[in-house]
Amino acid sequence: MKNKPFDPVRAPIIKKLFEMYSTGDWSLNDLAHYANNQGLTTVPMRRRRTEEEMLAEEDEDVKIEKVERPMNNNLIHKIFTNRFYTGRIINSEGTYIRSASHKPLISDELFEKVRQELKKKKVSTRYTDKIELPFRALIRCDHCGRVYTPYIKKGIQYFGARCFRDCENTKRSFNLDFIEDKIGQLIQNLYFTKDELIEIDARCNTDISLLEEKRHNEFEKNDRQKRKLREELKYLRTNKLVLIKSGVYTPECYVEEENKLSSQILSLQTEEQISDQSMHEMVLEIVKLSELLENVYLYYQNANSEEKEKIIKIIFSELTLSGNILKYQCRNGFKPFQSRFLVVCEPTTWLSELLEYREEVVLVIKDLDLS
Ligand SMILES: [Zn+2]
């Protein structure tokens, strides 16, 4: 770690992470969520240069953008075991010594407390609460990211969040009916109304041809992008061992990076394969999905909680509560409904977005058809 003062934006968040973890109420997972909510990312890092870029280095024109990465359990764990935050640096013999130039961000006591917490495996303590109640681990606090945990009181299922002390969220608990209703409303607002369906039919036909023209121009750009991605992938594969040995990537990160590049290439390829004809099919699929959603909503109203949970997990990827407001993210296949206002204002943009989610739309149609 380089010897420089703490970043004024990152430092308070990191300090808070230490404090939160030392209470024993939070898991690494919770804190990764919290950190991401607070906008904490890794320090921007440049990826390795490709061979070509190295050769071209003399030109000094080749600048690789620095990339920040979101937090995960491993990264949080790394922070918690780094004595740098207690004002120490590693000397030439590889042992930690007090740094003359940077003040500690956290005390030795706090660091030690966190270390003790890390040692405890957090399986036993709260495992008993985690009995199989419906909607477990489904809803989080929108502000601090803590999960609402289900519990039973006098035969009624409630949910409670152990929010952080400073959390602004006033909604600390609610019952099962409350959340089932809220989510029902979300589903109801998701599918298209009759008016919207008429609008889609009318507007999309003309806009599809306009869009096709635009897309042709983008193909060239795609080609360049694909070439670049392939080079990066080649570099990664040729230097796999060196990259992992030197610690640039952990084996997991390496696999993640490799998958990311491959799937980016793949999505560029599929994008090109979509023809005029399939754009029409695409719109028909969305309309079909909308009808399915409407049926699912009717089914949801009479379903039991386990069935409701199944439906929710098919449609939503994220549900967070702030006061009485339930916020949501749809799984990718349903994203076209989330951006539905575009249908009327900017059908071309909406159609382009549809293309992005095409495969997922087909998948979720299958998922919904089964339930
Ligand atoms: Zn909270």
Side-chain angles (χ1 to χ4, degrees):
M1 176 88 54
K2 276 192 202 110
N3 194 5
K4 54 183 178 187
F6 291 112
D7 179 310
V9 181
R10 293 167 47 84
I13 306 173
I14 291 175
K15 190 174 177 189
K16 192 138 193 174
L17 289 174
F18 272 99
E19 288 166 356
M20 287 160 89
Y21 196 72
S22 72
T23 63
D25 283 344
W26 303 71
S27 68
L28 289 175
N29 214 1
D30 290 331
L31 290 181
H33 250 273
Y34 173 81
N36 284 323
N37 264 357
Q38 299 292 309
L40 185 71
T41 53
T42 61
V43 181
M45 279 179 291
R46 285 201 176 90
R47 67 165 167 77
R48 280 296 176 95
R49 283 162 190 271
T50 63
E51 277 145 291
E52 266 182 33
E53 283 164 343
M54 281 187 206
L55 290 174
E57 203 169 16
E58 273 99 76
D59 303 346
E60 299 247 334
D61 280 347
V62 190
K63 286 223 172 77
I64 300 177
E65 235 179 279
K66 288 182 170 188
V67 195
E68 298 170 349
R69 289 166 199 280
M71 282 290 153
N72 59 32
N73 293 10
N74 281 343
L75 291 167
I76 299 281
H77 191 273
K78 249 187 191 164
I79 290 175
F80 286 166
T81 50
N82 191 346
R83 290 199 179 269
F84 180 75
Y85 298 109
T86 65
R88 286 175 174 77
I89 48 165
I90 298 180
N91 69 5
S92 53
E93 274 107 60
T95 44
Y96 277 104
I97 53 161
R98 274 215 181 276
S99 160
S101 57
H102 79 261
K103 281 195 186 145
L105 178 68
I106 56 150
S107 68
D108 287 346
E109 291 82 60
L110 183 55
F111 187 84
E112 187 53 33
K113 248 185 175 174
V114 165
R115 217 170 62 91
Q116 293 302 327
E117 277 303 321
L118 282 176
K119 275 195 197 163
K120 292 185 205 165
K121 280 260 189 262
K122 292 232 151 94
V123 190
S124 54
T125 44
R126 262 175 289 133
Y127 195 74
T128 43
D129 313 353
K130 293 186 174 174
I131 32 179
E132 289 303 308
L133 291 171
F135 291 53
R136 189 175 64 79
L138 205 59
I139 295 123
R140 289 183 176 272
C141 168
D142 188 55
H143 298 271
C144 72
R146 288 233 65 181
V147 73
Y148 284 93
T149 312
Y151 61 94
I152 302 276
K153 200 169 152 190
K154 291 182 183 161
I156 296 171
Q157 184 177 332
Y158 293 92
F159 296 81
R162 278 181 237 178
C163 281
F164 193 63
R165 231 180 300 124
D166 301 353
C167 182
E168 313 159 35
N169 194 356
T170 49
K171 195 85 174 172
R172 293 293 160 91
S173 68
F174 53 82
N175 65 25
L176 188 58
D177 282 350
F178 167 85
I179 199 69
E180 285 186 353
D181 278 358
K182 280 271 175 199
I183 296 174
Q185 287 163 25
L186 286 186
I187 299 174
Q188 193 185 15
N189 287 326
L190 224 43
Y191 56 83
F192 294 123
T193 61
K194 285 205 172 61
D195 286 347
E196 279 173 318
L197 285 173
I198 293 168
E199 183 84 26
I200 288 172
D201 196 44
R203 306 282 306 255
C204 287
N205 283 334
T206 44
D207 283 78
I208 282 172
S209 18
L210 280 176
L211 185 62
E212 276 309 305
E213 233 177 86
K214 207 179 114 204
R215 277 163 43 77
H216 270 292
N217 299 332
E218 279 171 9
F219 281 167
E220 262 181 67
K221 210 177 86 197
N222 267 6
D223 266 341
R224 280 200 300 277
Q225 238 178 317
K226 258 192 311 193
R227 219 174 309 135
K228 210 180 122 229
L229 286 168
R230 285 211 180 94
E231 272 162 21
E232 281 180 36
L233 194 61
K234 193 180 153 211
Y235 171 81
L236 206 65
R237 282 177 178 157
T238 336
N239 298 289
K240 181 174 178 180
L241 277 180
V242 182
L243 288 170
I244 290 174
K245 267 192 187 157
S246 61
V248 178
Y249 290 107
T250 63
E252 290 147 26
C253 288
Y254 173 86
V255 173
E256 206 178 291
E257 185 70 17
E258 192 183 20
N259 288 344
K260 201 183 81 194
L261 289 174
S262 311
S263 72
Q264 279 173 341
I265 293 173
L266 197 70
S267 77
L268 284 175
Q269 281 169 342
T270 43
E271 207 178 305
E272 286 176 10
Q273 285 160 7
I274 295 165
S275 65
D276 213 19
Q277 179 61 32
S278 61
M279 291 277 274
H280 282 276
E281 281 168 21
M282 178 79 206
V283 174
L284 289 178
E285 271 160 7
I286 295 295
V287 171
K288 183 180 176 198
L289 185 54
S290 176
E291 283 162 5
L292 276 172
L293 266 177
E294 190 169 356
N295 287 338
V296 163
Y297 171 67
L298 299 175
Y299 175 80
Y300 177 92
Q301 283 178 306
N302 298 307
N304 65 33
S305 296
E306 282 75 23
E307 292 163 339
K308 284 191 171 102
E309 184 174 5
K310 241 187 244 166
I311 295 171
I312 293 165
K313 284 185 173 164
I314 290 174
I315 302 176
F316 300 102
S317 62
E318 199 181 300
L319 292 163
T320 59
L321 198 62
S322 166
N324 280 325
I325 297 166
L326 184 61
K327 300 181 186 174
Y328 68 99
Q329 283 297 321
C330 284
R331 273 180 55 202
N332 276 348
F334 298 96
K335 285 268 158 79
F337 299 107
Q338 227 176 319
S339 56
R340 45 131 41 79
F341 66 94
L342 290 173
V343 178
V344 184
C345 312
E346 280 181 74
T348 319
T349 317
W350 184 68
L351 285 168
S352 314
E353 272 191 20
L354 287 192
L355 289 175
E356 228 180 284
Y357 298 120
R358 168 134 221 237
E359 277 170 55
E360 277 113 334
V361 168
V362 175
L363 282 178
V364 295
I365 284 180
K366 277 194 197 139
D367 280 354
L368 278 189
D369 253 341
L370 287 177
S371 62

